[in-house]
Amino acid sequence: MVQSKHDMIAQDIASKIKYHQYKEGDYLPSEHQLCELYGTSRETIRKALNHLTELGLIQKIRGKGSVVLDIQKFTFPISGITSFKELNRSLNMHAKTTVLKQVNTLAPKKFMDINIDNQQAIFVERLRTIDDLPVVLDQDYLLTPPVSSLPAGVAEDSIYEYLEKELHLEVSYATKAITVEKAADDIAEKLQLDDDKLVVIVRSLSYLDDTTLFQLTSSYHRPDKFKFIDFARRKKI
């Protein structure tokens, strides 16, 4: 996949933050200095900085610039739809994905208050590890149709990339619910949770641009390793 210039710049700055070239509390060079450093336009630099802001790596402060935030925890944006592979590349996490299970089955009859009647699906369970520590367990039901197939090896790479490039499906939006619950024994074991077995669960319903539901996801996160960020702008009604 060919990266845009602003994605490449964001990745480079993220790497410098990760390896403490830019430390927590430091201000990044000004937009003008970054333009000169990367040989690009201010619009491109602003897109890169916006991406870093969405990832929770920096905070823009009016009149001062962009300050580096604490990234001791991995940050995953909840709003928007971003694949784990895209986040891994953006944050240089060097994460590994292991497919634990992939089978054809029936989707749950009910998921997030949505009734799903006798719907065939491809079930995929994937474990995400960073520095050999299990941090996320994803359980996905890809509904068939519209997802007609999922070849071996795709789930270890990027399901969304396959859906968009090979099946020509346009992933559009999702609704999500976030809870903290006691994990089932098998999930607690896979994520190596503490004795309390508490886990953050992000459940989501994902849709195509024609409003077709195509994916049900339960994503289990270690609460000690992840924080979730969102961005909201006040709208006067």
Side-chain angles (χ1 to χ4, degrees):
M1 178 184 293
V2 178
Q3 284 184 284
S4 64
K5 184 71 177 289
H6 64 81
D7 279 337
M8 293 174 64
I9 293 170
Q11 182 176 338
D12 184 64
I13 295 175
S15 179
K16 289 176 179 177
I17 291 173
K18 178 180 178 180
Y19 293 106
H20 306 294
Q21 186 169 339
Y22 298 132
K23 299 178 182 178
E24 176 190 351
D26 288 348
Y27 281 89
L28 296 181
S30 68
E31 289 185 4
H32 177 71
Q33 291 172 321
L34 291 172
C35 287
E36 292 187 342
L37 178 63
Y38 291 102
T40 191
S41 68
R42 178 161 290 187
E43 180 182 0
T44 298
I45 291 300
R46 285 176 176 170
K47 287 181 179 179
L49 294 178
N50 286 339
H51 186 44
L52 294 170
T53 300
E54 290 170 0
L55 291 171
L57 299 181
I58 64 171
Q59 174 66 42
K60 292 183 179 180
I61 299 178
R62 182 174 296 180
K64 292 186 177 181
S66 299
V67 65
V68 177
L69 300 179
D70 179 9
I71 60 165
Q72 289 182 1
K73 296 183 179 181
F74 303 106
T75 303
F76 279 70
I78 287 301
S79 61
I81 302 178
T82 307
S83 72
F84 190 89
K85 179 181 178 181
E86 291 166 339
L87 287 171
N88 189 21
R89 184 174 60 232
S90 295
L91 295 175
N92 286 310
M93 295 187 298
H94 304 293
K96 178 182 177 182
T97 295
T98 302
V99 177
L100 303 181
K101 190 174 185 180
Q102 180 174 328
V103 295
N104 294 323
T105 185
L106 287 175
K109 292 182 178 181
K110 192 168 187 178
F111 190 87
M112 286 178 64
D113 297 326
I114 298 292
N115 293 317
I116 302 167
D117 186 28
N118 201 33
Q119 174 73 60
Q120 293 288 329
I122 302 168
F123 174 75
V124 181
E125 183 178 56
R126 294 175 290 179
L127 184 65
R128 323 289 196 166
T129 58
I130 299 175
D131 297 328
D132 296 322
L133 178 70
V135 291
V136 185
L137 180 70
D138 285 333
Q139 295 179 341
D140 293 286
Y141 290 90
L142 300 163
L143 304 184
T144 59
V147 180
S148 57
S149 64
L150 193 68
V154 168
E156 287 187 3
D157 187 34
S158 173
I159 291 177
Y160 277 13
E161 191 171 303
Y162 171 76
L163 298 183
E164 293 174 333
K165 288 191 172 183
E166 301 299 327
L167 299 186
H168 306 293
L169 299 175
E170 190 66 34
V171 178
S172 182
Y173 64 96
T175 58
K176 304 187 181 187
I178 307 169
T179 59
V180 178
E181 302 175 20
K182 187 171 183 178
D185 290 343
D186 63 324
I187 292 172
E189 182 179 356
K190 291 170 183 174
L191 286 175
Q192 299 178 15
L193 298 178
D194 294 335
D195 292 340
D196 59 16
K197 298 183 181 179
L198 291 179
V199 65
V200 178
I201 307 176
V202 182
R203 295 183 176 93
S204 59
L205 297 162
S206 299
Y207 298 83
L208 302 177
D209 61 347
D210 63 359
T211 74
T212 299
L213 175 66
F214 78 95
Q215 182 183 29
L216 321 174
T217 301
S218 295
S219 186
Y220 301 87
H221 299 253
R222 288 178 60 111
D224 61 329
K225 287 297 179 182
F226 281 80
K227 63 181 177 181
F228 303 103
I229 62 168
D230 197 358
F231 175 82
R233 187 178 298 281
R234 172 170 161 74
K235 292 184 179 179
K236 296 182 180 180
I237 301 175

